[in-house]
Amino acid sequence: MTLSVFCGIAHRPKRKVSPFLYTDRGFIVKVLALIPARNEAGSLPAVIAGLRADHPALDILVVDDASEDETSSIASAAGVECLRLCERLGVGNVIRVGLRWALRRGYDIVVRVDGDGQHPSAEIDALVAPLLEGRADAVVGSRFGGRAGYQTPPGLRRAGQRLLSAWVSAATGVRITDATSGFWAFGTRAIMLLAEEHPPGYPEPELLLLLARSGIRVAEVPVRMNQRLAGRTSLSAGRLGLACAVTALALIVTPWRQGAKGIDGG
């Protein structure tokens, strides 16, 4: 990541409340909502409003992937922290930028919430719970786990999602039903790894492989999801086919690791 693509801080709010904290069993845990966004002006206000309604003290960071609309202006007007990139990097690299920002500021958990409105803020507690209980280092939400809500309709996209999920499940030993889900919660070990090594581009299936092969414990939990509020999905049939190809290649060439780089694997 070079500084030439980072325009700077679009907005830095004055803090009026403490960071959103879980105080489970006497531990204080700082949590950040990370919103990767490109051209999400139509949905971002509702996403931020939902987060504030369900978790009023939650810290929010928007990383704007060189949007061509008013995404950064809307984030700034809403009073949330916003970083704007000068060049489009893709969602994987955008998440890496946000995780580096979170790591430097001592956040214990980062919840990825997409800017299109598909990830209900009311489901954050379900994602965070396995981290607090020590059962996982990273948690992904599945729309196919039996909860009510939006699901990809039958067809080519759904068939591709099933194929990816089967491949990833077989490779990782973890039952995954939604390998293209972007609704994640990352604990400290995952943040430390992914701040440097989060896959670029359209990353979700490759991310699952990287975490498993780096000794990071992954759990999947059922969540409710919404249809996107505005715009069009980036998961076209072509991109889904590319994701299948990249995942198949990763299954062949990505070496298994004994533990994450720079992280105690005990």
Side-chain angles (χ1 to χ4, degrees):
M1 185 70 61
T2 60
L3 293 177
S4 62
V5 298
F6 179 57
C7 290
I9 300 172
H11 184 259
R12 172 169 288 163
K14 294 181 179 179
R15 181 172 300 285
K16 296 182 180 180
V17 294
S18 300
F20 182 48
L21 303 177
Y22 285 93
T23 55
D24 184 58
R25 293 171 294 179
F27 292 97
I28 297 177
V29 182
K30 292 176 62 177
V31 184
L32 173 73
L34 168 59
I35 305 176
R38 175 170 170 81
N39 297 332
E40 298 290 6
S43 54
L44 190 57
V47 172
I48 294 173
L51 288 168
R52 285 179 165 164
D54 289 316
H55 304 291
L58 178 66
D59 280 359
I60 302 171
L61 171 67
V62 174
V63 183
D64 178 5
D65 192 18
S67 292
E68 298 170 347
D69 62 6
E70 299 302 314
T71 293
S72 285
S73 299
I74 287 172
S76 299
V80 302
E81 195 95 38
C82 181
L83 308 178
R84 175 170 169 76
L85 304 180
C86 296
E87 298 176 15
R88 185 178 183 182
L89 298 183
V91 64
N93 285 320
V94 168
I95 295 168
R96 189 184 301 182
V97 169
L99 291 174
R100 288 180 178 179
W101 187 94
L103 185 62
R104 293 185 185 120
R105 287 157 181 80
Y107 285 95
D108 302 294
I109 294 174
V110 175
V111 180
R112 173 187 165 184
V113 180
D114 282 354
D116 58 13
Q118 289 194 73
H119 302 159
S121 54
E123 300 290 336
I124 287 177
D125 286 345
L127 282 182
V128 170
L131 301 178
L132 294 176
E133 296 166 2
R135 295 189 286 111
D137 303 306
V139 183
V140 60
S142 171
R143 79 202 87 180
F144 305 120
R147 296 284 299 276
Y150 173 74
Q151 297 186 2
T152 306
L156 182 61
R157 280 181 58 210
R158 182 66 187 108
Q161 288 171 330
R162 289 182 184 275
L163 178 62
L164 278 172
S165 297
W167 283 354
V168 171
S169 297
T172 63
V174 178
R175 184 175 183 270
I176 299 295
T177 63
D178 196 353
T180 63
S181 173
F183 200 10
W184 280 88
F186 301 118
T188 304
R189 295 183 71 237
I191 294 169
M192 291 174 64
L193 172 71
L194 298 176
E196 299 300 328
E197 299 191 36
H198 194 291
Y202 182 73
E204 284 80 9
E206 192 177 352
L207 171 60
L208 285 157
L209 294 177
L210 172 65
L211 291 172
R213 293 180 173 184
S214 299
I216 301 297
R217 298 170 301 161
V218 177
E220 183 184 83
V221 297
V223 295
R224 178 181 60 85
M225 290 197 191
N226 303 322
Q227 287 186 284
R228 63 181 295 124
L229 296 175
R232 299 172 61 184
T233 179
S234 62
L235 185 58
S236 63
R239 288 193 176 185
L240 184 58
L242 179 60
C244 288
V246 169
T247 302
L249 182 62
L251 287 170
I252 298 170
V253 304
T254 303
W256 285 90
R257 305 180 180 200
Q258 296 301 315
K261 183 187 297 184
I263 301 174
D264 181 9

